[in-house]
């Protein structure tokens, strides 16, 4: 285990799994009923954004790396694209910001685009892989 802690690839993979588990817990909480937390509502809004070339929402595609909300209800979304040369590289982050800003409680939303770590099909949810015939 200590070798994994010094391996940047293993560390990044462990961090990715932890973020995915946190996002999955938020989704499960929202699906369980009730009003849900602000983070649940933000994730639900993000799930309404689709990559125009792939019939799966960007959350299920694994393009959302992190969602943080500060004490003033300002939201920061860290996301990636399937490729740095993605034809919607300019539009998709704007769509995410607009979707998040539809949540009434949200103050300001910023979207940070990153390619570290780069996106891969392993980031996709099982449901997305099934929908795209990759399972």
């Amino acid at each position: 285990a200590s070798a994994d802690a010094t391996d940047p690839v293993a560390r990044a993979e462990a961090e990715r799994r932890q973020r995915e588990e946190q996002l999955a817990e938020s989704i499960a909480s929202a699906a369980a009923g009730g009003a849900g937390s602000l983070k649940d509502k933000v994730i639900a809004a993000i799930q309404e954004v689709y990559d125009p070339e792939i019939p799966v929402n960007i959350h299920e595609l694994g393009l959302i790396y992190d969602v943080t909300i500060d004490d003033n209800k300002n939201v920061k979304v860290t996301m990636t694209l399937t490729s740095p040369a993605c034809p919607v590289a300019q539009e998709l982050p704007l769509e995410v910001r607009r979707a998040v800003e539809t949540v009434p409680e949200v103050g300001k939303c910023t979207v940070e685009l990153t390619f570290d770590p780069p996106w891969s099909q392993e980031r996709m949810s099982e449901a997305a892989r099934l929908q795209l015939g990759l399972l």
Side-chain angles (χ1 to χ4, degrees), residues 76-92:
K76 179 182 176 192
V77 178
T78 304
M79 67 174 290
T80 194
L81 301 170
T82 55
S83 156
C86 180
V88 292
Q90 299 295 318
E91 282 302 310
L92 210 50

Side-chain angles (χ1 to χ4, degrees), residues 6-115:
T6 59
D7 179 356
V9 173
R11 187 172 56 245
E13 179 64 18
E15 290 169 357
R16 179 191 66 77
R17 280 194 306 271
Q18 181 181 14
R19 284 191 299 272
E20 284 181 354
E21 289 170 9
Q22 289 170 340
L23 289 171
E25 287 173 11
S26 295
I27 292 166
S29 172
S37 71
L38 180 54
K39 189 168 186 175
D40 296 336
K41 293 174 187 176
V42 166
I43 291 169
I46 291 170
Q47 289 176 316
E48 297 299 316
V49 179
Y50 285 75
D51 183 311
E53 298 178 340
I54 305 171
V56 176
N57 76 62
I58 65 169
H59 187 268
E60 293 296 322
L61 280 176
L63 299 182
I64 303 301
Y65 285 2
D66 194 29
V67 174
T68 57
I69 303 171
D70 69 17
D71 292 339
N72 294 319
K73 299 184 181 178
N74 296 312
V75 176
K76 179 182 176 192
V77 178
T78 304
M79 67 174 290
T80 194
L81 301 170
T82 55
S83 156
C86 180
V88 292
Q90 299 295 318
E91 282 302 310
L92 210 50
L94 293 174
E95 279 189 57
V96 170
R97 182 175 55 84
R98 286 191 292 261
V100 170
E101 288 175 344
T102 66
V103 178
E105 300 92 336
V106 168
K108 181 181 171 190
C109 177
T110 57
V111 178
E112 179 182 315
L113 195 58
T114 185
F115 293 99

